[in-house]
Amino acid sequence: MATLLGFDFGTKKIGVAVGQTVTGTASPLTTLRHRDNRPDWTAIEALMREWHPEAAVLGLPHNMDDTEEETLAEPVRRFARQLEGRFAVPVHLVDERLTTIAAERALGPTRAGGRGSRRRAGDAVDAYAAKLILETWLGEQRP
C-alpha cells in the first residue's frame, strides 16, 4: 500500500489531497496559499513529513484540444521539479482538464459557494480538485 499526495497547482494557491494505491481513492486535505508569490514550502514540507508519500501527483493543465495550457504548464512543471528535488519523491503529471468544474459540481452550491466565505469555498474546491487529479492518476494505474 502506497500513500500519495495530489496537488492542484495554481498561481496563488495549491489544493492538496491524500490517496492510497490499495483503494484507488483520495480525500481532500487542504489548500495552501502562496507566500511572496511562491509555494508555501514550509507547509508542503509539513504535509510531506506527516503523510510520508511514496510519490506525488500533479495536475497538468490542458486545453480542450489536448494541447497544454501555455500560461500554467511551465509553472506546474517547475513546481514538479522542485517537489522532486526537495523531497526526493517521484512526481507524476496527469491531465487536470475540467477538474475544477467537476469539483464545483461535486461540492454543490452549499459547500462550494453557500454560507461560508468565498475564500473558504474556493479552498474547498481546490482541495477537491486535487482529490480528482489524484484519483484520475490512480485509476490510470489499475489494470
Side-chain angles (χ1 to χ4, degrees):
M1 176 176 84
T3 298
L4 305 162
L5 287 181
F7 295 91
D8 179 29
F9 182 86
T11 58
K12 296 183 192 237
K13 53 191 177 170
I14 302 167
V16 185
V18 63
Q20 307 291 326
T21 56
V22 168
T23 62
T25 60
S27 300
L29 273 182
T30 189
T31 297
L32 306 174
R33 300 210 170 275
H34 287 260
R35 295 185 180 271
D36 299 321
N37 294 319
R38 295 180 182 197
D40 184 348
W41 291 110
T42 302
I44 293 169
E45 182 177 353
L47 289 170
M48 298 297 272
R49 278 196 317 261
E50 178 181 354
W51 293 98
H52 303 284
E54 291 188 22
V57 176
L58 181 57
L60 183 63
H62 282 78
N63 296 310
M64 294 310 291
D65 65 0
D66 289 332
T67 60
E68 288 183 12
E69 200 285 320
E70 292 180 26
T71 310
L72 275 178
E74 184 49 39
V76 166
R77 289 184 184 283
R78 183 178 326 114
F79 181 65
R81 290 189 301 271
Q82 291 171 331
L83 274 175
E84 268 186 349
R86 287 174 182 253
F87 305 109
V89 296
V91 176
H92 307 285
L93 298 174
V94 66
D95 183 350
E96 71 163 16
R97 187 179 355 203
L98 302 178
T99 54
T100 298
I101 293 168
E104 289 170 345
R105 287 184 180 155
L107 292 174
T110 305
R111 293 190 50 206
R115 294 181 39 191
S117 75
R118 180 177 276 227
R119 179 177 179 169
R120 221 174 26 245
D123 289 353
V125 168
D126 293 325
Y128 199 91
K131 164 198 165 15
L132 295 175
I133 288 165
L134 184 48
E135 287 182 341
T136 297
W137 186 85
L138 287 165
E140 291 173 356
Q141 305 312 301
R142 295 197 176 247

